Amino acid sequence: MVEKVMQAAALRGAGIDPEYFALAASYMSQRVQGVRWAAARESFAIDYDGAPAELEGLVESLLARLTRSSLRRGGQVLWSRAVAELPARGAWEALVAGGAVRDFGGGHLGYGGPLLDLVEALDGALLGLALRRGAERLQLPQLLPLDLLRRLGVFDHYPQHLFFAAPLRPDLAEIEEFRSRSAAGDPPIASAQAAPRHGLKTSACAPIYPTLQGTDSPGDRLFTTVATCTRHEAGNVRSLERLTEFRMREIVYAGDAAGAEAFRRRCVRVFQDLFEVFDLAGAVVTARDAFFVAGYEQYGTAQLLSGDKLEARAAVPESGAEIAVASFNYHRDYFSKRFAFTVRGAPAATACVGFGLERLAYAVLARHGAGADLSGPLRALAERFDLPPGEAPRGAPGSG
Amino acid sequence: MVEKVMQAAALRGAGIDPEYFALAASYMSQRVQGVRWAAARESFAIDYDGAPAELEGLVESLLARLTRSSLRRGGQVLWSRAVAELPARGAWEALVAGGAVRDFGGGHLGYGGPLLDLVEALDGALLGLALRRGAERLQLPQLLPLDLLRRLGVFDHYPQHLFFAAPLRPDLAEIEEFRSRSAAGDPPIASAQAAPRHGLKTSACAPIYPTLQGTDSPGDRLFTTVATCTRHEAGNVRSLERLTEFRMREIVYAGDAAGAEAFRRRCVRVFQDLFEVFDLAGAVVTARDAFFVAGYEQYGTAQLLSGDKLEARAAVPESGAEIAVASFNYHRDYFSKRFAFTVRGAPAATACVGFGLERLAYAVLARHGAGADLSGPLRALAERFDLPPGEAPRGAPGSG
């Protein structure tokens, strides 16, 4: 195993976002075993199972693809919030030691205790807010046909995130053989698997747009859904900061450009509410999606310059990271053109806001400690969201 | 396309459960395009894309594997409930026509409206019941490592249900090629896919047992979790009666044999509560899992004779089907031996009860109509479950 340390400052100097480079490096080759950030986030190390010269070549090649003048512009800070004292409280270690988190490895976690209580309380408050604004609730499939995922842009924008899913081929003799060879310790998975026809959705809202196909609405529409999202993150998974599977609450707007702008302002206000109520440090910034390498310049730069994507980034004192706990995305007519739906007769402008529930809960617990009493801030959040007092979010500490 | 019609009575006469035969027939060959039940459930047709003689051969072979004397014993009815009048209310058609159900095909549904309201209300009541009995809430991953799924018995018992999941191989050049060939309409999925290392869980509770590995508990434990479960059902998917993806609320008991028996009695009581409160027709019967063909006799018969599996089966007037809306499973020390956990120093006896939320909601809507006011029965359910009056289940009609 060889390791190469990359300095964040040097990457920034070359106009490359170090966070993005670290992510992309995980997909350079199957020999990349992982990417590890140093505690102060000033550098990261790439672990490589091969020759040093090979790794150098891969890094040079990735640098060359990303070093473009148009990328030299970073995100714009729209709003930020500092906190006088940010002690490291060791919330992650406390959750693991206390049994609230059960690590299945590879970014797949089980959890309960104060983490699940907080996830449910936050989701309850966000659901309450959405319903109060007239959103329609939806439960949507997690497996989508590949052709739909392609039309949704996933193949083009984030192919690295996608998990394909396939059962065994429906053939009695083959399944029996699989079963008996499995009992002997040697299941022939690769050869017995059918060709994949589905993939796991990478965002909660993706299935909404196809369901609107062919519809026209006389007025703006809001939808809300919560789902487990799945993104292959190669070696980048880490504590609750980056998971392969995570829960996301989304609210989707469909209307026109002016309505999408108003929705955007309300989303920024919700981000601010969350930061203030939980006394978090962080910022709301313009951002770009984790487009795969070639798409990074093609789409990411336009996104960054337009402000079509905003992220609410919260500080995690115990790791030094700043993590995106929520994001707003303005799609313009990307989905309404692809799936042919209109509002008041015109191609709909759509936008969505997504809240990463485990990340948001983790940012709060990392700020206040895994055992903190959060009933006060949760009540304050319900007030800001104008929720009826008796309607305590399900799962709020003390409510169950 | 050829079709072969099978008579349910003839199969029963040969000691074969017609429902099981229809399920198994879907996995006979890739040429089986589907299995369609006639309205009165007296016969079903197998659609086959091939020669009639081939289909005959496959059917004969499956019959021969399943015709064993030990299978001639059917499930035992422990409790049943009749309803004087069972009009067909066309709930499924009403849900589709009203836009509450959005069909993605292949057993993958999106839904909202009265169906989601009822699913959430039922889940809220069942969660409330579990918490009242002291259950620990858990959120668990949906993707599990293949080796864990194998140890959980999925490879041996239900290999036909399993979806394998794999991302693209982490290789920059290959992913770029995938991306550009996808843009040209020809994504090389099969060749670019990594070897699967994970599979989608087929039940909500499966990940609980491995998390208990190496633990001893001074007393009985209860857990509860809700999750999307995924089972490949080949051509058997139908309306809300059989889905590829469905939500399941589970409550898991870990203790000893006497405690498991008491838990079983409480579960039967809950099944009866559900039937009575919603005025459903149906029965609680001993049952066997949908073990794959060779396992059907090996495991299913023992299960059936022992009463280790119970199903609550509700009538669906509009289709004539009786569907399992909930099931109880007594695992004895199957999981505690495999994952080495004890209660009071002895290998734990475990049992679980699972509620298929869409099926249960559908049975209720099929009985009363998609637009029925269910606030009365839901209040009655909360009373039977001894839930505090103010704690209306989230999502109950009228609460959101």
Side-chain angles (χ1 to χ4, degrees):
Chain A
M1 187 83 76
V2 297
E3 126 182 341
K4 179 168 175 68
V5 175
M6 308 285 299
Q7 299 298 328
L11 287 165
R12 272 191 214 99
I16 295 171
D17 175 357
E19 296 275 347
Y20 182 84
F21 190 93
L23 283 180
S26 297
Y27 301 98
M28 289 190 308
S29 153
Q30 298 179 68
R31 292 187 184 274
V32 173
Q33 302 299 300
V35 174
R36 290 171 292 111
W37 278 93
R41 314 288 286 186
E42 284 158 2
S43 66
F44 58 87
I46 303 169
D47 292 325
Y48 187 77
D49 180 20
E54 270 173 27
L55 176 55
E56 287 294 336
L58 288 167
V59 167
E60 288 307 316
S61 160
L62 183 57
L63 282 171
R65 285 166 190 244
L66 293 176
T67 310
R68 308 277 169 82
S69 57
S70 58
L71 292 177
R72 288 176 189 271
R73 180 171 164 152
Q76 189 191 341
V77 175
L78 303 186
W79 181 86
S80 68
R81 186 172 191 279
V83 170
E85 198 198 355
L86 275 178
R89 299 192 183 274
W92 167 251
E93 283 75 11
L95 290 169
V96 173
V101 165
R102 299 138 199 250
D103 196 345
F104 286 76
H108 304 272
L109 291 187
Y111 57 92
L115 178 59
L116 181 53
D117 285 344
L118 184 54
V119 160
E120 289 285 332
L122 291 167
D123 186 48
L126 293 164
L127 168 63
L129 175 71
L131 295 178
R132 200 127 186 99
R133 298 286 180 276
E136 183 184 339
R137 286 178 86 173
L138 295 171
Q139 166 75 29
L140 295 160
Q142 65 189 21
L143 283 172
L144 295 177
L146 291 180
D147 185 58
L148 203 57
L149 288 165
R150 194 186 53 73
R151 290 172 68 203
L152 284 162
V154 179
F155 281 30
D156 200 26
H157 295 165
Y158 330 102
Q160 79 279 21
H161 281 163
L162 197 56
F163 276 90
F164 300 92
L168 296 176
R169 267 190 304 278
D171 184 300
L172 203 60
E174 282 190 52
I175 301 179
E176 291 285 5
E177 192 201 339
F178 175 89
R179 200 172 156 275
S180 60
R181 282 185 53 188
S182 165
D186 174 34
I189 293 162
S191 62
Q193 202 187 183
R197 293 165 58 189
H198 290 84
L200 285 160
K201 68 179 171 188
T202 56
S203 69
C205 69
I208 291 180
Y209 311 105
T211 68
L212 298 176
Q213 186 139 7
T215 63
D216 179 59
S217 167
D220 291 0
R221 298 184 75 174
L222 280 180
F223 304 92
T224 187
T225 192
V226 65
T228 296
C229 302
T230 315
R231 296 182 187 171
H232 180 239
E233 293 283 1
N236 297 304
V237 294
R238 179 188 154 85
S239 71
L240 286 153
E241 292 182 4
R242 192 174 293 278
L243 296 169
T244 306
E245 289 181 53
F246 56 96
R247 302 278 294 165
M248 196 194 287
R249 161 66 62 184
E250 288 207 51
I251 306 172
V252 171
Y253 167 86
D256 56 26
E261 175 53 30
F263 179 68
R264 179 187 194 266
R265 284 195 303 271
R266 289 201 302 274
C267 291
V268 172
R269 183 66 246 166
V270 171
F271 297 163
Q272 293 169 342
D273 285 340
L274 288 166
F275 278 89
E276 288 168 2
V277 155
F278 292 109
D279 193 28
L280 302 177
V284 179
V285 299
T286 62
R288 52 191 156 211
D289 278 312
F291 294 116
F292 198 65
V293 179
Y296 183 67
E297 185 177 17
Q298 189 179 343
Y299 307 111
T301 306
Q303 199 176 43
L304 195 62
L305 295 175
S306 66
D308 284 355
K309 185 182 181 77
L310 305 181
E311 280 180 355
R313 301 184 67 87
V316 177
E318 62 201 42
S319 74
E322 221 179 48
I323 57 175
V325 295
S327 70
F328 163 90
N329 281 273
Y330 179 35
H331 318 125
R332 301 176 182 258
D333 60 8
Y334 183 88
F335 292 119
S336 64
K337 282 277 177 66
R338 289 186 169 215
F339 296 102
F341 56 93
T342 54
V343 171
R344 291 177 292 271
T350 66
C352 69
V353 63
F355 300 87
L357 295 173
E358 291 91 352
R359 279 188 177 180
L360 183 55
Y362 179 48
V364 171
L365 296 179
R367 170 76 185 92
H368 299 284
D373 174 12
L374 298 164
S375 51
L378 284 168
R379 266 197 308 274
L381 188 65
E383 274 166 33
R384 295 223 185 179
F385 286 178
D386 192 23
L387 305 181
E391 207 174 280
R394 184 167 84 179
S399 80
Chain B
M1 186 85 74
V2 297
E3 125 182 343
K4 179 167 175 69
V5 175
M6 306 286 299
Q7 299 298 328
L11 288 166
R12 272 190 215 99
I16 295 171
D17 175 359
E19 296 276 345
Y20 182 84
F21 189 92
L23 283 180
S26 297
Y27 300 98
M28 289 190 307
S29 154
Q30 297 178 67
R31 292 186 184 273
V32 173
Q33 301 299 300
V35 174
R36 291 172 291 112
W37 278 94
R41 315 288 287 185
E42 285 158 359
S43 66
F44 58 87
I46 303 170
D47 292 325
Y48 187 76
D49 181 20
E54 270 174 26
L55 176 55
E56 287 296 335
L58 289 168
V59 166
E60 288 307 317
S61 160
L62 183 57
L63 282 171
R65 286 166 190 243
L66 293 177
T67 309
R68 308 275 168 83
S69 57
S70 58
L71 292 177
R72 288 175 190 270
R73 179 171 165 155
Q76 189 191 343
V77 176
L78 303 185
W79 181 87
S80 69
R81 186 172 191 279
V83 170
E85 198 198 356
L86 274 180
R89 299 192 183 273
W92 168 251
E93 283 74 11
L95 290 169
V96 173
V101 165
R102 298 139 199 249
D103 195 346
F104 286 75
H108 304 272
L109 292 187
Y111 57 92
L115 178 59
L116 181 54
D117 286 344
L118 184 55
V119 159
E120 289 286 331
L122 291 167
D123 186 48
L126 293 164
L127 169 63
L129 175 71
L131 295 179
R132 206 134 179 92
R133 298 285 180 276
E136 184 184 339
R137 286 179 86 175
L138 295 171
Q139 166 75 29
L140 295 160
Q142 64 190 21
L143 284 172
L144 296 177
L146 290 180
D147 185 58
L148 203 56
L149 287 165
R150 193 185 54 72
R151 289 172 68 203
L152 284 162
V154 178
F155 281 30
D156 200 26
H157 295 163
Y158 330 103
Q160 80 278 23
H161 281 163
L162 197 56
F163 276 90
F164 300 92
L168 296 176
R169 269 190 303 277
D171 183 300
L172 203 61
E174 282 190 51
I175 301 179
E176 291 285 4
E177 193 201 338
F178 176 88
R179 200 172 156 275
S180 60
R181 283 185 52 188
S182 166
D186 174 35
I189 292 162
S191 61
Q193 203 188 183
R197 293 165 60 189
H198 290 84
L200 286 160
K201 68 180 171 188
T202 56
S203 69
C205 69
I208 291 179
Y209 311 105
T211 67
L212 298 176
Q213 185 138 8
T215 63
D216 178 59
S217 166
D220 290 1
R221 298 184 75 174
L222 280 180
F223 304 92
T224 187
T225 190
V226 66
T228 295
C229 302
T230 314
R231 296 182 187 170
H232 179 239
E233 293 283 1
N236 298 303
V237 294
R238 178 189 154 86
S239 71
L240 287 153
E241 292 182 3
R242 190 174 294 279
L243 295 169
T244 306
E245 290 181 52
F246 56 96
R247 302 277 293 166
M248 196 194 286
R249 162 65 63 185
E250 288 207 51
I251 307 172
V252 170
Y253 167 85
D256 55 26
E261 175 54 29
F263 179 68
R264 179 186 192 268
R265 284 195 303 271
R266 289 201 302 273
C267 291
V268 172
R269 184 65 245 167
V270 171
F271 297 164
Q272 293 169 342
D273 286 340
L274 288 166
F275 278 88
E276 287 168 2
V277 155
F278 292 109
D279 193 27
L280 302 178
V284 178
V285 299
T286 62
R288 51 191 155 211
D289 278 310
F291 293 115
F292 198 66
V293 177
Y296 184 68
E297 185 177 19
Q298 188 179 344
Y299 307 112
T301 306
Q303 200 176 41
L304 195 62
L305 295 175
S306 66
D308 283 355
K309 185 183 181 76
L310 305 181
E311 281 181 354
R313 301 184 67 87
V316 177
E318 62 200 41
S319 74
E322 221 179 48
I323 56 175
V325 295
S327 71
F328 164 90
N329 281 274
Y330 179 34
H331 318 125
R332 299 175 183 258
D333 60 7
Y334 183 88
F335 293 119
S336 65
K337 282 277 176 67
R338 289 186 170 216
F339 296 102
F341 57 93
T342 53
V343 169
R344 290 178 292 271
T350 66
C352 69
V353 63
F355 299 87
L357 295 173
E358 290 91 353
R359 280 188 176 180
L360 182 55
Y362 179 47
V364 171
L365 295 179
R367 170 77 186 91
H368 299 284
D373 174 11
L374 297 164
S375 51
L378 284 168
R379 265 197 308 276
L381 188 65
E383 274 166 34
R384 294 222 186 181
F385 287 178
D386 193 23
L387 305 181
E391 206 174 279
R394 185 168 84 179
S399 81

